[in-house]
Amino acid sequence: MPTALAATGAYLAANSWWIGPTVAAVGAGVGVYGSMQSAATSKNIANYNYSMQQRNAKMQLMANTAQVQQMEQQARFQKAQAEINARLAENEAQARSNNAETMRNQALAQASADRENIRRTNEDSDRSIAIMRAKMGKTGADLGAGSMLETYVEAEKNKKVVAQELGSQSRHGYMKTFAEVALEEFGAATARAGAQLDLATGRAEANLSRSAAALQEVTGRSEYLMNRKKAEMARMSGYADAKGATMQAWGSLFSGLSSFAGSFGSRPAKGQPQSWWPNEAGQFDPIA
């Protein structure tokens, strides 16, 4: 009775015709398995890259949204600051207008008081001259000659000088006050113009910031959609590579199986044992 090692050696020697095809089939199977693993790896990498690209796109969109919100907040601040500055400038303009109006009324009131003062001064001068003439008349002196005439003329001259001086002071004060009024009114007008300019400039800057924010939002949204599309295309490319590897693996498998099956069609007519253990005569019994 042959030993197991001897039987195995005899079996392989008797069936050496199928060893090559079997090894080739096993190699094809190993290649198919490797291709399948490579396809699965490609698909997993594609999914991972897709997930990371989607995550990065969302993070970029969130950062862009935060930047847009900051720009919109800046636009609101610019508008609010411009309106505050405009109100402050308008308050200053109104205060200066009120001050100019007060100064004008004071100047008019002072001019009226000055005219009344001049009138009363003239009346007092006339009264003093009349009293002087009455006193001179009681003495029987000739008012049209000598020192009497000189005294009268001097009194009339003093009356005119005083009236002129009072009038000149009144006019100077009036003109000075109205010059200050004009300056206040000019300052008020300048403050109002500055307020309107600041308001218009602030609103323009706010609108510009708002427009920039809108543009930034559109740009960020477009980049987000584009990045998502790129991620999808990259994943589909990975899937295509995996599918190609899978199809190649199946092709290799079918080719190996066909080759292996063909080897049985061309096997020898005799000496095709199918049993593993030899009979009593030391030979392998064929099946069929």
Side-chain angles (χ1 to χ4, degrees):
M1 190 71 177
T3 63
L5 181 60
T8 301
Y11 181 82
L12 293 175
N15 296 276
S16 60
W17 61 270
W18 58 270
I19 292 177
T22 302
V23 172
V26 172
V30 172
V32 169
Y33 177 78
S35 297
M36 290 294 188
Q37 288 295 105
S38 177
T41 301
S42 297
K43 190 173 182 179
N44 291 335
I45 291 176
N47 287 331
Y48 175 78
N49 290 337
Y50 174 78
S51 177
M52 292 301 297
Q53 288 172 348
Q54 289 281 30
R55 179 176 178 273
N56 291 336
K58 289 181 180 178
M59 293 294 293
Q60 185 177 358
L61 180 63
M62 292 175 61
N64 186 78
T65 301
Q67 184 178 359
V68 169
Q69 291 176 351
Q70 183 178 3
M71 294 172 69
E72 291 177 345
Q73 180 65 28
Q74 181 181 359
R76 288 191 291 269
F77 174 79
Q78 288 173 332
K79 182 180 178 182
Q81 188 65 40
E83 291 175 349
I84 291 174
N85 292 338
R87 284 196 294 270
L88 292 175
E90 179 60 31
N91 291 339
E92 179 187 356
Q94 188 60 44
R96 300 193 72 169
S97 294
N98 294 339
N99 188 36
E101 184 66 20
T102 300
M103 293 171 65
R104 183 184 294 106
N105 293 334
Q106 290 177 349
L108 293 174
Q110 185 62 45
S112 178
D114 290 342
R115 288 193 297 271
E116 181 64 19
N117 185 36
I118 292 172
R119 186 186 67 80
R120 290 181 179 179
T121 300
N122 288 333
E123 288 181 351
D124 292 341
S125 296
D126 290 340
R127 187 179 301 108
S128 298
I129 292 173
I131 292 173
M132 181 184 64
R133 290 182 66 180
K135 288 181 179 179
M136 290 179 179
K138 288 181 180 180
T139 61
D142 185 5
L143 298 177
S147 59
M148 295 296 180
L149 179 60
E150 291 178 358
T151 301
Y152 176 74
V153 171
E154 187 65 24
E156 288 287 341
K157 182 179 179 181
N158 290 336
K159 170 188 171 183
K160 292 181 180 181
V161 169
V162 171
Q164 289 176 354
E165 182 64 23
L166 292 176
S168 177
Q169 292 178 0
S170 178
R171 286 191 299 274
H172 287 163
Y174 185 83
M175 292 174 63
K176 179 182 178 182
T177 301
F178 267 82
E180 294 174 352
V181 168
L183 287 176
E184 285 296 304
E185 289 179 338
F186 177 77
T190 302
R192 283 194 175 91
Q196 295 300 319
L197 179 61
D198 290 342
L199 182 60
T201 302
R203 286 177 175 175
E205 291 177 351
N207 291 333
L208 183 61
S209 298
R210 192 175 293 109
S211 298
L215 179 60
Q216 183 68 26
E217 183 177 11
V218 172
T219 302
R221 177 64 62 176
S222 299
E223 290 179 353
Y224 171 70
L225 295 176
M226 185 180 298
N227 290 334
R228 287 193 60 183
K229 191 66 175 178
K230 289 181 179 179
E232 185 65 28
M233 292 176 65
R235 183 172 70 166
M236 294 304 295
S237 178
Y239 279 13
D241 292 342
K243 187 174 182 180
T246 302
M247 295 298 294
Q248 183 179 1
W250 283 111
S252 298
L253 178 62
F254 290 148
S255 177
L257 291 176
S258 298
S259 177
F260 186 73
S263 66
F264 279 93
S266 60
R267 65 183 178 177
K270 295 181 179 180
Q272 301 292 324
Q274 299 298 318
S275 61
W276 173 255
W277 198 257
N279 56 20
E280 293 295 335
Q283 298 179 350
F284 295 95
D285 296 326
I287 300 174

